[in-house]
Amino acid sequence: MKDYAHIKRLYENERVREYLGGPVDEVAYKVRFNEMLQSQNAALHWIIRLRETEEFIGLVFLDTYHDDRDTEIGYQFLPDYWGKGYATEVINTILNFGVKTLGYSTIVAETQTKNKASCRLLQKVGMQFEEELERFGHKQSKFRLMKS
């Protein structure tokens, strides 16, 4: 609960939410936040802070993918921290944790195909493009990391 306001900043930010359906209102955010806290599946959420200052910069999760089989990684970072390597470092760490510690044999990610920065990030951390599909009224690119 202590991170409610921090995470809310992500869900209200137009740039963060550009490829995620847009900003959400207070009611919708409360529902999503409670879903994070009370997930009935194997969802894990991490608050991301700068090491030096403990300043909040984003949120990363591992959760059940839409197919109810795979595990998905997802992330949101505040725009002030884009392009500085934080997302690459964090996503690599969480992927390694998922494979080596949690024992996942595969992890997927899905992002709007128009979100070129996110597509590049997923490839940079070793995920392979798998397919393009239509979801939420937009073309999505699905990526997969296979345990080596």
Side-chain angles (χ1 to χ4, degrees):
M1 284 304 293
K2 68 181 170 96
D3 292 303
Y4 182 92
H6 294 302
I7 298 169
K8 186 178 178 197
R9 289 173 50 205
L10 294 168
Y11 280 83
E12 292 176 333
N13 189 292
E14 288 185 24
R15 291 180 62 204
V16 171
R17 303 290 303 169
E18 179 178 359
Y19 301 108
L20 296 169
V24 299
D25 64 24
E26 180 74 24
V27 172
Y29 173 67
K30 282 182 182 179
V31 169
R32 290 182 187 189
F33 187 79
N34 285 325
E35 287 172 350
M36 282 184 240
L37 294 179
Q38 300 170 5
S39 177
Q40 298 301 308
N41 57 23
L44 297 169
H45 294 83
W46 289 270
I47 297 299
I48 309 304
R49 299 181 187 282
L50 293 178
R51 283 185 190 121
E52 305 80 24
T53 64
E54 291 294 310
E55 184 176 353
F56 174 85
I57 66 169
L59 172 72
V60 177
F61 68 81
L62 290 174
D63 199 353
T64 305
Y65 183 62
H66 301 284
D67 63 9
D68 290 326
R69 289 188 324 264
D70 288 321
T71 298
E72 176 182 20
I73 189 166
Y75 46 87
Q76 297 179 56
F77 288 85
L78 292 170
D80 288 349
Y81 303 97
W82 293 355
K84 298 181 180 182
Y86 296 119
T88 302
E89 179 182 353
V90 171
I91 302 305
N92 267 324
T93 300
I94 300 300
L95 289 172
N96 285 328
F97 178 76
V99 170
K100 294 178 181 171
T101 304
L102 299 177
Y104 296 137
S105 59
T106 184
I107 298 174
V108 299
E110 185 178 307
T111 188
Q112 269 194 38
T113 302
K114 291 188 297 188
N115 189 347
K116 300 298 183 196
S118 190
C119 290
R120 281 191 306 273
L121 170 64
L122 294 169
Q123 291 173 321
K124 186 176 183 177
V125 299
M127 298 187 87
Q128 302 297 311
F129 173 78
E130 184 171 88
E131 66 178 318
E132 190 171 79
L133 50 108
E134 184 86 17
R135 192 184 322 275
F136 312 118
H138 298 280
K139 288 184 180 179
Q140 307 286 330
S141 291
K142 182 178 176 185
F143 294 82
R144 182 176 299 274
L145 178 75
M146 299 293 289
K147 184 176 175 180
S148 50

